[in-house]
Amino acid sequence: MADYKSYFEDALAATRNIVDVSPETISAVLRDIAEAAVAQTGSLLRENQKDLDRMDPADPKYDRLKLTEGRIKDIARDMVNVAGLPGVLGHILSEKTMPNGLNISKITVPLGVVGVIYEARPNVTFDVFALCFKTGNVSVLKGGSDAEYSNKAIIELIHSVLQKCGIDKNVAILLPAERMATEALFNAVGYIDVLIPRGSQQLIDRVRQQSKVPVIETGAGIVHTYFDESGDLQKGKDIVFNAKTRRVSVCNALDCLIVHSSRLSELCRLALPLASKDVEVYADAEAYAALQGHYPANLLHPAKVEHFGTEFLDYKMAIKTVDSFEEALDHIAKHSSKHSEAIITEDAANTIAFLNKVDAAAVYVNASTAFTDGAQFGLGAEIGISTQKLHARGPMGLQELTSYKWVVTGDGHIRNA
């Protein structure tokens, strides 16, 4: 870690400096960065193109890596939204005066130094900085080599605005893209308070297994939608198409459609819109028979065991047939990554049972899983989708980037017993 120690020391020192920045200044800086991002769209796209030129367009990560004028505008809008959100620091969560006169309160504080390791998603650089800065946290970012040029351009933009405003630029630090920096981050005990991975299941597993720094797991989404016996066909067509095709490379995209066997005669109508986007379907025997002759033959394949429990991140989807509601729940429980799960139903009892029995960070009824997103949940943006249960779950916004401390006020109090 020696080669990277200075990065971590600078980050730790910046936690004391950021405390002096007023909430009003923080919001103003975020708006300035949003404005600068739009103004410098051309240069950001040029640097992003350097990264894109090194990646095969057929790679599922290509879409995640790609910046466009529209996406930069969306990023800027999200930053402005974060700037306008109410502050979450210094809130009194509880307060009491003890019989001996001691006043004890519990108040929200920043986590401290938040490390985030991520792959080919340059938008994460903006999102993480905005959320951490708004909550008084210092961010240490470790992007992948795939997005090296993009991330450098973004952090330079952020630093230029911070310095113009007289703020320590080390409140946001981008580590080198090399692998050794990752190892150093894993071992930065005493410098990094929490490490959050954003990316593939492989990345998340590696961070969880190797990091000596506390980890909040986010990301891998093996997402199911169950079309129930009572499901409305039109709702189902719209929801399945949107959940699968809106953006296939993101973690809330649909991976497996579960269909009640009583609705197999309508499966072709439910799935056919997907063909317009060339979605390859891996169907079990019953679903395959129902789709054969009704779905393009070049896009229809018999499912193998490995197709269930796969996060495709591509124009691909599995279909599983079940004979009962309970069988659908069993399939979800076996294969879910506990990210987002949905049911399409008009049955009130099944609605309640699904919501109560499915263990996931976000559970949907008659809605697309594409909504699992910090901005869509009114959080402004997100630092990731936590799939664990300790500290944070689901889209991690401002509140999830805080901890708390106990503040005890006395008047010469001493403890005698």
Side-chain angles (χ1 to χ4, degrees):
M1 191 180 80
D3 293 335
Y4 304 94
K5 189 175 180 181
S6 62
Y7 288 102
F8 302 136
E9 289 176 339
D10 288 343
L12 192 59
T15 60
R16 295 187 294 275
N17 296 330
I18 198 172
V19 171
D20 296 326
V21 184
S22 71
E24 294 77 18
T25 298
I26 285 175
S27 294
V29 168
L30 290 176
R31 288 191 288 268
D32 287 347
I33 292 173
E35 184 177 330
V38 174
Q40 297 180 36
T41 293
S43 61
L44 291 175
L45 293 182
R46 283 192 293 274
E47 294 305 301
N48 182 241
Q49 189 61 48
K50 293 178 183 178
D51 291 323
L52 292 171
D53 289 342
R54 299 181 299 164
M55 183 179 286
D56 182 353
D59 190 319
K61 291 189 293 186
Y62 189 89
D63 181 62
R64 289 188 174 194
L65 174 62
K66 186 175 184 178
L67 291 175
T68 65
E69 184 177 347
R71 288 182 180 181
I72 291 174
K73 287 181 179 178
D74 289 342
I75 289 167
R77 185 183 64 247
D78 286 345
M79 293 191 78
V80 171
N81 289 341
V82 170
L85 291 173
V88 294
L89 298 178
H91 290 186
I92 298 175
L93 302 176
S94 65
E95 185 176 21
K96 56 188 173 183
T97 299
M98 304 303 293
N100 63 2
L102 275 181
N103 181 268
I104 301 177
S105 58
K106 182 179 177 182
I107 65 171
T108 55
V109 297
L111 290 174
V113 180
V114 177
V116 180
I117 180 169
Y118 51 108
E119 296 169 321
R121 295 191 67 171
N123 65 293
V124 172
T125 307
F126 279 117
D127 292 346
V128 169
F129 167 73
L131 291 167
C132 285
F133 191 54
K134 178 75 174 182
T135 50
N137 290 291
V138 170
S139 50
V140 174
L141 307 165
K142 174 59 181 71
S145 58
D146 289 337
E148 182 175 6
Y149 290 106
S150 304
N151 288 333
K152 283 182 177 179
I154 292 167
I155 204 69
E156 286 172 6
L157 183 154
I158 290 170
H159 282 172
S160 68
V161 175
L162 289 171
Q163 289 176 311
K164 285 179 183 177
C165 297
I167 297 171
D168 184 356
K169 70 174 184 178
N170 290 319
V171 298
I173 290 175
L174 178 68
L175 295 177
E178 59 204 34
R179 286 182 175 272
M180 289 179 62
T182 300
E183 302 301 325
L185 189 57
F186 289 166
N187 291 281
V189 177
Y191 296 100
I192 306 294
D193 291 287
V194 63
L195 181 56
I196 303 172
R198 285 194 62 173
S200 65
Q201 188 64 57
Q202 182 180 10
L203 171 68
I204 295 166
D205 289 344
R206 182 187 175 204
V207 173
R208 184 181 62 244
Q209 293 162 10
Q210 298 183 22
S211 176
K212 294 179 181 178
V213 175
V215 174
I216 297 178
E217 291 184 42
T218 73
I222 300 170
V223 177
H224 302 82
T225 293
Y226 169 50
F227 189 66
D228 190 28
E229 191 171 11
S230 67
D232 180 276
L233 183 60
Q234 187 58 52
K235 291 178 185 177
K237 287 170 61 178
D238 294 341
I239 290 168
V240 169
F241 183 78
N242 181 255
K244 178 66 260 181
T245 69
R246 176 189 163 271
R247 281 192 70 185
V248 297
S249 64
V250 293
C251 57
N252 58 28
L254 177 61
D255 295 296
C256 181
L257 172 63
I258 305 172
V259 181
H260 194 281
S261 57
S262 68
R263 305 301 298 274
L264 281 175
S265 62
E266 298 167 287
L267 178 58
C268 57
R269 296 167 62 192
L270 185 66
L272 190 57
L274 299 171
S276 68
K277 294 288 188 178
D278 292 330
V279 175
E280 293 187 63
V281 169
Y282 299 88
D284 65 11
E286 296 91 338
Y288 187 90
L291 288 174
Q292 199 167 22
H294 301 284
Y295 198 82
N298 63 312
L299 298 176
L300 180 61
H301 314 285
K304 298 178 181 179
V305 173
E306 59 265 27
H307 291 128
F308 300 109
T310 292
E311 184 183 25
F312 289 106
L313 300 174
D314 202 350
Y315 287 95
K316 298 177 180 180
M317 186 184 79
I319 300 181
K320 170 68 176 176
T321 305
V322 296
D323 293 322
S324 68
F325 175 76
E326 289 299 329
E327 189 179 349
L329 294 185
D330 289 343
H331 185 84
I332 291 171
K334 181 178 180 180
H335 297 289
S336 174
S337 63
K338 301 186 178 182
H339 187 293
S340 301
E341 306 292 355
I343 184 173
I344 301 166
T345 186
E346 300 299 315
D347 186 308
N350 282 358
T351 294
I352 294 171
F354 192 86
L355 294 176
N356 288 339
K357 294 183 178 182
V358 171
D359 183 12
V363 187
Y364 291 82
V365 178
N366 294 330
S368 168
T369 55
F371 286 105
T372 306
D373 174 88
Q376 294 296 314
F377 280 22
L379 305 179
E382 70 188 36
I383 204 164
I385 309 292
S386 173
T387 53
Q388 64 184 47
K389 297 181 181 179
L390 291 179
H391 179 69
R393 199 175 197 200
M396 292 182 62
L398 301 182
Q399 192 64 56
E400 288 72 30
L401 288 171
T402 66
S403 183
Y404 58 82
K405 66 169 63 169
W406 294 94
V407 175
V408 183
T409 303
D411 187 21
H413 284 68
I414 61 173
R415 182 172 174 175
N416 295 316

